[in-house]
Amino acid sequence: MKKSGSDILKSINLKALIESLIAIFVGFLIGAIVLLAFGYDPVTTYSALFQGALGSTTGIASTLAYSTPIMLTALTFAISARTGIFNIGAEGSFYFGAIAAVIFTNIWGNMWFGLFMGMVLGALWGLPAAFLKVYRGVHEVISTIMLNWIAWFFVLWLVVGPYANPNDPNKTLRIPPSARLPLIGNTNLSIAFIIAVFAAVLSYYILWHTILGYGMRASGLNPRAAEYGGIKPKQAIIWSFIIGGIMSGLGGAMKIMGEPPTYAISQGMANVYGYGFDGIGVALVGRNHPLGIIFAAIFFGMLRAGTPLMQIEAQVPLEIIKVIQGIIVITVAIPGLYDLIKNAITRREV
Amino acid sequence: MRKELLVFLMVGLMALSLAASGCISGGGTSSTSGTGTTTPAKPQGEVAIVYDVGGRGDLSFNDMAYLGASKAAKDFNLKLVELQSNTEDDYVKNLETLASQKKYKVIIAVGFMMTDAVKKVAAEYPKQNFAIVDGFDKDMPKNVRMILFKENEGSALAGALAALIAANSGKDTVGIVLGMEIPVLYKFEAGYRFGVKWAEDYYKQKTGKTVNINILYQYTGTFGDPGKGYAAAKAQLDQGAWVIYQVAGGTGTGVFKAVGEYLQAHNQKMGPPFAIGVDSAQDWIKPGAIIASMMKRVDVGVYNAIKDAVQGKFTGGVVELGLKEHGVGLSTVDDVMAMFDSLPADTQKQKLKELGFNSKDELKQYLENTRKQVPDWIWQAVSELQKKIVSGEIKVPAPMDKPGIEAVRNAKTWQDMEKLAK
């Protein structure tokens, strides 16, 4: 990590950065046209968005809080993508991380223990897809989609069954106060955000500054050439699933342990659903680069944190706001998506 | 590449200038076309309302809250600010954003699920008035009014109606389809069970025949998925349910669909079997298939909270509305028509066309005919129960937790249940 700045720059594709910035601009522009078409004032709407997301301490705090879980699930996707794997299993590991936090902090009310067990369960849930891929040749898209559903129903059973809160049947047991992540200052933002940024930096370090990471990236670019060069692509793939699972598991655990006021999984798992899928979008916008993902996640967080003020000040209904945000996200993801598809077409299978 | 970039930027700038000129001319209209909010000439203040994830358009809970808030805004010349919640994560953020603006006479949170969030934000902004519908917490800050309803009382009427309709047709099963498993819904379920048991007793005294009505119940886990409501109701109809009470917000529209399809398949225009609606007077949604609705007057609770805030009479704490206060009750045809009238004019027109009626009077007539499918003595029995509950002669249990509802489920008679209420 203590390499010179030019090293980091080298890992970032400048062209990619410029493309992303243009894409953001174009996305906002198309959004503005849609707003006009519906009869809303884009200037008021966008200024409400930025004021809500960045205009106050609480605004910034919620922007960063919203960005935390998707930053980690995006890392899952990106790490695998760099290894040439289309892993959409972040969702399942996220559920397991969340339920692990509930289960284990209620056994021992220690924060680090809860986070650790979240990572362990998240990583373990990455393994079935990894082994199926490496030893049986099952495509990871199929296996992770199906494993997500298995995770969903299994964790749902835990949520409504053994770990339901007897006093409050629409939630699980709460995280005991001793194991909740400390909040930063007088805000709703917990140290989960700092841990997530640290995880992103660590992912960058692993991918670009370790032998393991070199092997992963080499297998991602061309598994046969990598193998010829003495790298074991199968091992690299298994590691990518494990590290990815750790990230999402951590994300799930911190979602429950670091978010006031609930500190529990709610009924129907409404507060843990969807983050794995959102993470794919974040990873595409961040061009599958851990450092890019930090900013992409904050960008997504900003869109969400600005939503209430857009409704209040510009009186734009939530449905239209979601359309606008969808347009912006799609536009911004197009360059990353293009890369991904191009790589998928040109790459050969293991 | 560089040329492409330049072209891109130029196109962008042109579009932006277009957009800018557009908003100068179009700016005037945008404020009025907002979220259906009417902005009077000179508002005397502002009130805000936050919906839960079920959101507007559920034709029940959230729409009723809007009805009350918009009426109050009109009567007291206020600007109404509406906020929808995308996910549960948004509750704190939405409430906090509003509270930090420090300009609302009262902020209304619609729905039990916001209880934790209201408690937290209200403690941070002790000078801001809040009201929460359905939310209760014994440690709630003093600046929060908790608007609660005795759904158990209204649901008892629904249960009695359902059981007597079934018994009268020689059937022995009724159903209830519920949303998320939350304490508020336990009150609905308990009241319904109470009403069914009371009706068994009443039927025996009236006809001398013993009936044993079986109650099917299912929690669908959602308030916004008509598909799940449809599946649950269809399963209950297959098991012989003769009346199904829906307590599932937007999910419940699927219940109406299932009952409607059953009637169609049996070449019937009107039930039985029937569905019973909830929250608002929903009978107009599927005339013929819905015998009545258990109205929960969220609109009244919200209206009063705003009225009190405007007149400086706002108080925190619990405000509970029951049968006696007209906070809950079975819908009459007039209630249904009033609800129908509150819909936007073009929605009314479209709905009438869809149902095949030429005028509102035809709809009203049809609703009245539907009610005639149920003999008078049943309606009289229901109003007898209503009188007894209002006078306090009969008490309906209102369990708020799992052991409480289990006790009601296991009780054999309504007298046993009544003991649980004390």
Side-chain angles (χ1 to χ4, degrees):
Chain A
M1 257 185 291
K2 284 184 181 163
K3 302 273 170 170
S4 64
S6 67
D7 237 28
I8 296 181
L9 270 183
K10 225 181 280 171
S11 77
I12 301 169
N13 186 338
L14 247 178
K15 181 171 153 264
L17 189 69
I18 292 170
E19 277 172 10
S20 290
L21 290 176
I22 294 174
I24 290 176
F25 178 72
V26 173
F28 272 95
L29 205 69
I30 301 175
I33 293 167
V34 173
L35 279 172
L36 277 175
F38 281 102
Y40 300 104
D41 180 353
V43 178
T44 321
T45 312
Y46 286 146
S47 61
L49 164 65
F50 289 110
Q51 203 203 326
L54 307 170
S56 63
T57 325
T58 53
I60 294 171
S62 41
T63 295
L64 301 182
Y66 279 131
S67 72
T68 305
I70 49 181
M71 195 182 293
L72 287 159
T73 51
L75 288 173
T76 304
F77 184 80
I79 290 166
S80 294
R82 290 282 176 183
T83 319
I85 296 291
F86 203 97
N87 176 8
I88 46 183
E91 191 75 19
S93 292
F94 197 85
Y95 303 152
F96 272 99
I99 195 70
V102 170
I103 295 172
F104 292 103
T105 57
N106 275 294
I107 294 171
W108 179 29
N110 180 294
M111 177 182 110
W112 300 109
F113 180 60
L115 294 182
F116 176 74
M117 292 313 290
M119 291 192 267
V120 169
L121 257 65
L124 285 176
W125 193 248
L127 284 178
F131 288 140
L132 283 170
K133 169 78 184 174
V134 169
Y135 295 113
R136 310 289 338 139
V138 178
H139 198 280
E140 68 278 6
V141 170
I142 306 295
S143 62
T144 48
I145 285 179
M146 296 203 288
L147 285 162
N148 280 345
W149 282 111
I150 296 171
W152 166 266
F153 284 110
F154 181 68
V155 175
L156 189 62
W157 171 70
L158 291 173
V159 166
V160 299
Y163 291 95
N165 189 337
N167 303 319
D168 200 352
N170 71 323
K171 292 190 191 77
T172 58
L173 299 173
R174 288 182 193 245
I175 304 287
S178 60
R180 295 175 187 175
L181 298 179
L183 300 176
I184 300 171
N186 198 15
T187 66
N188 287 333
L189 180 65
S190 72
I191 60 163
F193 175 73
I194 297 170
I195 296 176
V197 171
F198 179 74
V201 175
L202 192 68
S203 306
Y204 160 76
Y205 183 77
I206 292 173
L207 279 172
W208 271 276
H209 295 281
T210 64
I211 296 168
L212 176 66
Y214 174 76
M216 285 161 76
R217 284 186 299 126
S219 326
L221 291 169
N222 189 331
R224 289 187 187 185
E227 195 160 17
Y228 186 74
I231 289 163
K232 293 182 177 129
K234 288 183 176 178
Q235 239 171 41
I237 288 172
I238 292 176
W239 274 111
S240 84
F241 273 103
I242 293 175
I243 299 172
I246 288 175
M247 294 300 167
S248 289
L250 178 64
M254 294 204 297
K255 181 77 183 43
I256 303 304
M257 292 166 64
E259 218 181 61
T262 311
Y263 294 111
I265 303 176
S266 53
Q267 198 178 43
M269 292 172 39
N271 60 347
V272 291
Y273 171 76
Y275 293 93
F277 300 125
D278 285 353
I280 297 174
V282 176
L284 288 176
V285 173
R287 305 301 284 265
N288 288 328
H289 191 293
L291 302 182
I293 283 171
I294 297 177
F295 295 101
I298 294 173
F299 177 73
F300 272 64
M302 230 176 66
L303 289 181
R304 283 199 60 188
T307 305
L309 215 58
M310 283 161 89
Q311 293 185 66
I312 299 168
E313 295 293 332
Q315 307 235 323
V316 183
L318 181 64
E319 290 77 7
I320 304 283
I321 293 174
K322 281 157 97 173
V323 169
I324 302 297
Q325 293 179 342
I327 289 169
I328 293 172
V329 167
I330 287 174
T331 325
V332 173
I334 282 173
L337 199 63
Y338 175 77
D339 279 2
L340 198 79
I341 293 168
K342 200 178 73 186
N343 289 346
I345 291 168
T346 51
R347 196 185 50 240
R348 301 225 173 99
E349 280 297 314
V350 182
Chain B
M1 180 62 211
R2 222 166 257 165
K3 258 187 198 162
E4 280 172 320
L5 232 162
L6 203 71
V7 171
F8 232 126
L9 282 174
M10 282 180 65
V11 170
L13 276 173
M14 275 158 64
L16 195 72
S17 60
L18 206 97
S21 65
C23 58
I24 291 162
S25 59
T29 53
S30 62
S31 61
T32 47
S33 61
T35 47
T37 316
T38 45
T39 325
K42 246 191 205 161
Q44 301 290 307
E46 295 186 42
V47 286
I49 184 164
V50 183
Y51 303 109
D52 70 8
V53 288
R56 282 287 307 285
D58 60 359
L59 300 177
S60 70
F61 188 65
N62 286 285
D63 280 347
M64 285 294 269
Y66 169 73
L67 201 67
S70 59
K71 186 163 180 282
K74 210 164 156 194
D75 290 358
F76 303 108
N77 197 18
L78 303 165
K79 185 178 169 208
L80 175 64
V81 170
E82 294 177 88
L83 264 190
Q84 306 254 24
S85 304
N86 198 4
T87 72
E88 282 182 28
D89 297 342
D90 295 339
Y91 295 154
V92 169
K93 174 71 187 157
N94 281 345
L95 292 165
E96 204 169 50
T97 306
L98 291 167
S100 67
Q101 293 190 314
K102 297 192 172 114
K103 61 179 179 182
Y104 301 104
K105 297 206 181 290
V106 58
I107 296 172
I108 292 156
V110 187
F112 165 85
M113 285 185 281
M114 268 183 265
T115 312
D116 280 349
V118 168
K119 187 178 167 190
K120 179 180 159 47
V121 178
E124 284 163 17
Y125 294 89
K127 283 184 182 157
Q128 170 71 55
N129 291 332
F130 288 88
I132 178 162
V133 181
D134 274 1
F136 174 76
D137 190 301
K138 60 183 192 314
D139 303 319
M140 193 62 95
K142 288 197 167 55
N143 50 329
V144 181
R145 173 179 291 190
M146 294 171 271
I147 304 169
L148 303 177
F149 295 87
K150 294 179 181 163
E151 296 92 349
N152 48 327
E153 296 185 348
S155 298
L157 304 185
L161 178 62
L164 291 174
I165 291 173
N168 190 44
S169 307
K171 308 280 175 180
D172 65 352
T173 308
V174 295
I176 176 169
V177 173
L178 304 106
M180 294 174 95
E181 194 168 350
I182 53 179
V184 183
L185 263 63
Y186 287 159
K187 288 203 278 180
F188 283 94
E189 189 196 330
Y192 191 65
R193 285 177 181 278
F194 181 93
V196 169
K197 289 287 170 201
W198 181 87
E200 281 178 0
D201 199 21
Y202 183 93
Y203 190 77
K204 194 180 170 189
Q205 284 178 18
K206 174 149 182 96
T207 63
K209 279 181 274 182
T210 313
V211 280
N212 229 325
I213 305 277
N214 185 16
I215 302 168
L216 305 172
Y217 70 102
Q218 188 178 344
Y219 284 88
T220 56
T222 163
F223 290 110
D225 187 347
K228 282 196 175 148
Y230 176 79
K234 206 155 178 350
Q236 295 191 348
L237 286 167
D238 288 345
Q239 291 173 68
W242 203 237
V243 179
I244 301 176
Y245 179 27
Q246 81 96 347
V247 190
T251 301
T253 51
V255 174
F256 302 147
K257 185 174 168 227
V259 173
E261 274 181 14
Y262 182 98
L263 294 176
Q264 217 168 20
H266 291 74
N267 282 323
Q268 279 175 263
K269 277 195 166 167
M270 293 173 186
F274 283 115
I276 298 178
V278 81
D279 293 345
S280 72
Q282 295 186 309
D283 313 28
W284 58 272
I285 298 173
K286 227 170 196 39
I290 303 170
I291 186 64
S293 304
M294 202 296 275
M295 292 192 299
K296 172 170 167 180
R297 302 300 301 268
V298 176
D299 55 336
V300 174
V302 168
Y303 183 91
N304 288 342
I306 296 176
K307 188 177 114 187
D308 290 350
V310 170
Q311 298 175 346
K313 288 189 279 188
F314 186 88
T315 50
V318 171
V319 172
E320 202 174 21
L321 303 170
L323 271 180
K324 199 174 171 183
E325 297 82 14
H326 303 289
V328 293
L330 284 187
S331 59
T332 63
V333 171
D334 288 336
D335 289 328
V336 181
M337 294 317 291
M339 182 69 204
F340 191 75
D341 282 334
S342 75
L343 300 170
D346 46 337
T347 311
Q348 286 185 28
K349 222 179 260 170
Q350 202 188 340
K351 187 72 200 177
L352 283 175
K353 204 173 142 197
E354 192 187 309
L355 295 169
F357 296 120
N358 295 318
S359 68
K360 272 195 248 181
D361 288 339
E362 277 183 40
L363 171 64
K364 190 175 175 187
Q365 190 61 47
Y366 197 85
L367 291 169
E368 274 163 2
N369 287 342
T370 305
R371 287 179 182 234
K372 282 181 191 142
Q373 307 299 312
V374 173
D376 268 347
W377 67 266
I378 292 183
W379 293 109
Q380 276 159 17
V382 172
S383 65
E384 189 183 319
L385 177 59
Q386 171 160 1
K387 272 181 209 131
K388 284 183 176 164
I389 295 173
V390 169
S391 72
E393 190 186 333
I394 288 182
K395 285 199 168 53
V396 187
M400 289 299 283
D401 53 15
K402 195 124 197 172
I405 187 69
E406 285 297 344
V408 174
R409 283 173 192 161
N410 292 331
K412 294 273 184 297
T413 63
W414 67 268
Q415 287 90 347
D416 286 350
M417 290 185 192
E418 204 182 13
K419 278 177 206 141
L420 297 168
K422 282 164 187 165

